[in-house]
Amino acid sequence: MNWRGWGIIAAACALTLVGMPAEAAPPDELAQRLERVPGLTVVAERPTEPGFRLFDLTFAQPADHRHPEAGTFQQRLTLLHRDTSRPTVLHTTGYGLPTSTYRTEPTQLVDGNQIALEHRFFTPSRPEPADWNDLDIWQAATDEHEVISALRGIFDRQWITTGASKGGMTAVYHRHFYPDDVDGTVAYVAPNDVDNAHDAYDGFLSSVGTDPACREALTAVQREALIRRPEMIAKFQAFADEQRMTFDRIIGDIDRGLELVVLDAPWSFWQYRGQQDCGQVPAPTASTDEIYRFLDETVEFAFYTDQGVEPYAPYYYQAGTQLGWPDVSDEPLADLLHHRELSQPRNLVPREIPMEFEPGVMGEVDDWVRSRGSELMFVNGQNDPWSAEPFEPSPLDSHSYLVPGANHGADIAGLPADRRAEAEATVRRWAGVEAPELRSTSLDQRRVERHPL
């Protein structure tokens, strides 16, 4: 399966909204207030759209919140400032900071300020030296809690948290440990692997889409790629040499890298593409160039190199210690494989980093969401493999939506009109705002980033 889907996509709605007239502080007043926040450093202010101010910031966090005397690290964040009279949305991808600035769908819906927070251990937001025992869901949730607490003196209206995929999971974990920090949470395409030993993903992949022939074609092209292993490896090696990419430090060797790409193909296809692209799946009689190109467009060969995987080691570490991971059967390819169980996270984390799985952690979160969690919204895609194991919310002003035909980029805007209106009204109610009028701004264009989840 495509680990970069656990990561998640950082998706923003293409809908654009106008807010109330901004009454911005004098040019230096906001910066001065930010500089007075203990632990917060204003790194720079960058140009952005009219009506907004964009700040690069860092915040001093304990490497271990249980032992703050043991040292700190600087956690990166950005502030997209609208007006202190507006609500504030805290957004995380669950990975590093997004590569471009965009307003998430909840930020647009409430026309608010937005803080984007980098997850701990994604460089450069990593303690030095790094004790990987300090990378767990409570430590990350406490990072969010500390940032919200520090900035509430400036942004004292309602707060919403949000994220997609691993970012959505991260937002839910924060609410589990600090349920009263914010007024609502919108989690997009966030998987909920309650019992890591029992997965629903094989059943989902055997029935997803409207055309069984599409699923059969995906298996056929996987098999053909492995039958043509020498040709595929030659092309992969030429690419790796050109890009100065390696396989020996984490992946193991190029043969394992190729099998990871091939194994990922159906998962990635449904995660990022979908039924509309079934006609683009090459036939077994296609040229090696065509098959290689399809796999590269769907999975990306560059990802399964040492250089592609290494930035995501913190995610794989979390998957292998607390979050769990999808166990997808490789039996349809078993007679052609040289390696088995390659997609387990232990194979994607440097060997010098110790890992031990903690069963039951996700079960505790799931129990809280089902029975006591409130003001939670889950938005999933009908054709997204990660939505096969969703969170089930409690009746305490919590909601779940399944976007018809959507993949890992599912959002509220894709819902049928009545359900969309209901969901948008709920988010605005949590934020204490009315629906603003529409406008156009390039800041609000949809942004999609690939991650392992």
Side-chain angles (χ1 to χ4, degrees):
M1 73 312 233
N2 189 342
W3 287 96
R4 285 163 306 121
W6 265 87
I8 241 93
I9 290 179
C13 176
L15 178 69
T16 56
L17 306 169
V18 139
M20 299 170 62
E23 298 178 0
D28 59 351
E29 183 178 326
L30 176 61
Q32 290 174 355
R33 294 185 70 184
L34 291 170
E35 288 169 352
R36 289 196 293 267
V37 174
L40 192 71
T41 299
V42 178
V43 176
E45 181 175 1
R46 288 183 278 143
T48 189
E49 291 289 312
F52 299 89
R53 298 181 69 184
L54 177 60
F55 293 89
D56 293 317
L57 310 168
T58 63
F59 187 73
Q61 296 277 15
D64 180 355
H65 286 282
R66 292 186 173 90
H67 300 283
E69 72 284 354
T72 63
F73 70 98
Q74 294 295 318
Q75 187 171 30
R76 289 198 305 169
L77 61 158
T78 61
L79 166 64
L80 187 60
H81 178 259
R82 180 77 173 111
D83 193 305
T84 54
S85 68
R86 304 297 298 171
T88 299
V89 175
L90 189 146
H91 167 240
T92 179
T93 66
Y95 296 90
L97 280 179
T99 57
S100 57
T101 300
Y102 59 88
R103 295 202 299 166
T104 63
E105 187 173 57
T107 306
Q108 294 179 60
L109 289 173
V110 306
D111 193 36
N113 310 293
Q114 179 175 286
I115 293 162
L117 183 65
E118 187 161 68
H119 197 287
R120 62 168 42 216
F121 276 67
F122 286 87
T123 55
S125 298
R126 182 181 296 181
E128 184 60 44
D131 181 347
W132 288 77
N133 291 311
D134 294 333
L135 177 55
D136 62 34
I137 63 171
W138 179 81
Q139 298 279 2
T142 306
D143 289 342
E144 290 195 36
H145 170 73
E146 294 297 329
V147 168
I148 292 169
S149 299
L151 291 175
R152 194 178 290 280
I154 298 175
F155 304 102
D156 60 358
R157 302 303 173 95
Q158 286 87 344
W159 282 67
I160 302 290
T161 49
T162 192
S165 197
K166 184 171 181 288
M169 298 158 68
T170 303
V172 173
Y173 305 151
H174 164 251
R175 288 295 303 282
H176 169 240
F177 292 110
Y178 299 97
D180 300 323
D181 264 4
V182 299
D183 301 279
T185 294
V186 184
Y188 297 87
V189 293
N192 178 34
D193 196 346
V194 181
D195 183 350
N196 193 52
H198 297 87
D199 282 353
Y201 299 112
D202 280 336
F204 180 90
L205 290 171
S206 69
S207 59
V208 63
T210 60
D211 183 6
C214 186
R215 300 190 295 271
E216 293 168 4
L218 286 166
T219 300
V221 79
Q222 286 179 286
R223 292 187 60 82
E224 191 63 28
L226 293 173
I227 290 170
R228 303 189 200 186
R229 185 185 297 262
E231 298 170 62
M232 297 294 291
I233 284 181
K235 293 182 71 63
F236 195 3
Q237 186 68 65
F239 166 78
D241 290 344
E242 180 183 0
Q243 300 297 319
R244 297 184 178 180
M245 292 178 165
T246 61
F247 302 92
D248 57 307
R249 288 191 296 106
I250 302 174
I251 296 296
D253 56 49
I254 193 170
D255 196 59
R256 293 163 70 91
L258 173 65
E259 290 196 1
L260 282 163
V261 171
V262 172
L263 288 165
D264 244 3
W267 186 286
S268 290
F269 182 86
W270 294 108
Q271 177 179 326
Y272 292 121
R273 304 181 73 170
Q275 188 69 44
Q276 74 281 359
D277 287 348
C278 286
Q280 298 180 34
V281 181
T285 55
S287 69
T288 300
D289 284 347
E290 290 178 275
I291 293 173
Y292 185 93
R293 186 182 312 114
F294 171 77
L295 291 174
D296 196 35
E297 291 172 351
T298 304
V299 181
E300 295 181 6
F301 278 91
F303 187 78
Y304 284 117
T305 64
D306 295 332
Q307 289 74 19
V309 167
E310 189 169 32
Y312 297 102
Y315 162 66
Y316 293 120
Y317 176 88
Q318 287 191 273
T321 55
Q322 290 188 322
L323 308 184
W325 62 92
D327 186 11
V328 177
S329 174
D330 59 10
E331 283 302 319
L333 309 176
D335 60 314
L336 298 172
L337 293 172
H338 294 169
H339 316 279
R340 305 298 294 271
E341 300 184 340
L342 276 182
S343 295
Q344 292 193 7
R346 175 67 274 181
N347 294 321
L348 299 167
V349 176
R351 286 288 167 180
E352 64 269 20
I353 300 174
M355 292 169 56
E356 183 176 347
F357 188 68
E358 303 175 45
V361 175
M362 294 299 100
E364 293 178 7
V365 176
D366 177 71
D367 178 70
W368 176 82
V369 170
R370 289 173 182 267
S371 61
R372 302 186 301 283
S374 61
E375 293 82 38
L376 299 170
M377 181 180 294
F378 299 95
V379 182
N380 291 302
Q382 181 185 18
N383 290 340
D384 176 24
W386 293 109
S387 296
E389 295 192 355
F391 283 96
E392 299 291 342
S394 79
L396 303 175
D397 196 11
S398 292
H399 314 270
S400 181
Y401 296 96
L402 188 66
V403 182
N407 61 14
H408 207 55
D411 55 19
I412 293 170
L415 289 167
D418 57 338
R419 300 285 278 167
R420 172 180 174 174
E422 175 186 280
E424 290 178 349
T426 297
V427 175
R428 293 191 182 107
R429 172 170 58 82
W430 289 342
V433 298
E434 300 295 328
E437 300 175 11
L438 293 176
R439 72 165 174 164
S440 177
T441 167
S442 60
L443 250 187
D444 299 332
Q445 298 307 302
R446 183 181 180 86
R447 302 289 198 274
V448 175
E449 295 188 10
R450 285 195 171 193
H451 293 299
L453 171 62

